[in-house]
Amino acid sequence: MEALAEYFKVFSEPNRLAVLEALHQGSLNVTAVVEATGLSQALVSKHLKLLTIAGVVRRRPEGSLVYYEVIDRGVFRLLATAEKQLQVSRQQQLNALQAVL
Amino acid sequence: MEALAEYFKVFSEPNRLAVLEALHQGSLNVTAVVEATGLSQALVSKHLKLLTIAGVVRRRPEGSLVYYEVIDRGVFRLLATAEKQLQVSRQQQLNALQAVL
DNA sequence: TCGCGGTATCACGACAACGTTATACTAAAC
DNA sequence: GTTTAGTATAACGTTGTCGTGATACCGCGA
């Protein structure tokens, strides 16, 4: 429960999700991710480091470039599952509102 | 992506997961959750409020007690999916270590 | 060897979330 | 109507995370 919370935290930042989203298409170097997301280079580097430490993404230096890629695409399944569940929760929020009005 | 991150944030706190875990067995009032988790009453109240606003949990006053219950048990499926993916990531962390040593 | 593009890190300020203590609210019992 | 158990909220200090700007590092080509 401790570790699970920490794992969820990895996906709880919009910019980090944007970085992941960019890597959905495959392997990209840092600059490519920067361009795909519109985030600053320093910020992208930080998020990529976090994702690497989390074991979600792999770092592969190639010459002077550094490529990153999602290791196990099961994370995208996780994202999809969460998004689906989010829809359910949204509906419940509406129901709760309706019960009040 | 914005909203999805926010949704992940709901599950990114150990104590909140503990509260959810307690509600796995069904409907409980606040005091029961407090006893099940060992958290302070004020803290449990806060987390329950958050979970309610998030549309994950439903509040049902009954007399002077207030019962809470998970609305859609699909969240537990989400937790299970995340836990499974966590295992994968853990393995990748080990692999990364091994590549260094 | 020097310069340069690409990447990583540092130091910092801003801000949000957590947990606690104390207190307010509410409904039932007396 | 007062008390009491259960629940919610307020105020506060602490801590962690985010994003930025500046700078360091690294590999390569001139």
Side-chain angles (χ1 to χ4, degrees):
Chain A
M1 8 246 97
E2 186 75 15
L4 186 55
E6 197 112 338
Y7 192 63
F8 271 113
K9 202 178 292 185
V10 171
F11 307 102
S12 71
E13 291 298 330
N15 290 337
R16 210 141 52 217
L17 285 187
V19 169
L20 265 185
E21 192 78 15
L23 292 177
H24 187 232
Q25 49 179 114
S27 189
L28 291 180
N29 67 10
V30 178
T31 300
V33 174
V34 167
E35 287 167 356
T37 58
L39 302 176
S40 76
Q41 185 268 318
L43 190 53
V44 168
S45 240
K46 258 193 194 176
H47 283 311
L48 284 173
K49 180 172 187 181
L50 232 176
L51 289 169
T52 304
I53 291 175
V56 173
V57 142
R58 170 175 24 223
R59 191 185 118 106
R60 184 164 49 84
E62 188 148 329
S64 69
L65 304 186
V66 178
Y67 286 87
Y68 285 89
E69 58 191 335
V70 170
I71 298 180
D72 184 311
R73 302 187 62 85
V75 292
F76 294 122
R77 190 169 54 91
L78 174 59
L79 295 187
T81 303
E83 196 142 17
K84 189 169 180 184
Q85 194 60 34
L86 169 57
Q87 310 300 343
V88 175
S89 296
R90 265 213 252 260
Q91 188 55 47
Q92 296 309 327
Q93 292 171 332
L94 294 184
N95 290 354
L97 258 190
Q98 209 163 16
V100 174
L101 306 180
Chain B
M1 8 249 105
E2 185 76 13
L4 186 56
E6 196 112 338
Y7 192 63
F8 272 113
K9 201 178 294 186
V10 171
F11 306 103
S12 71
E13 292 297 331
N15 290 336
R16 210 141 53 218
L17 285 187
V19 168
L20 265 185
E21 190 78 14
L23 291 177
H24 188 233
Q25 49 179 113
S27 189
L28 291 181
N29 67 10
V30 178
T31 301
V33 174
V34 167
E35 287 168 356
T37 58
L39 303 175
S40 77
Q41 185 268 318
L43 189 54
V44 167
S45 239
K46 260 194 193 173
H47 283 310
L48 285 173
K49 180 173 188 180
L50 232 176
L51 289 169
T52 304
I53 291 176
V56 173
V57 141
R58 169 174 27 219
R59 190 184 117 107
R60 184 164 49 82
E62 189 149 329
S64 69
L65 303 187
V66 178
Y67 285 86
Y68 285 88
E69 57 191 333
V70 171
I71 297 180
D72 184 311
R73 303 187 61 86
V75 292
F76 293 122
R77 190 170 53 91
L78 173 59
L79 295 188
T81 303
E83 196 142 16
K84 189 169 179 182
Q85 195 60 34
L86 169 56
Q87 310 299 341
V88 174
S89 297
R90 265 213 251 260
Q91 188 55 48
Q92 297 308 327
Q93 293 172 332
L94 294 185
N95 290 354
L97 259 189
Q98 208 162 14
V100 173
L101 306 181

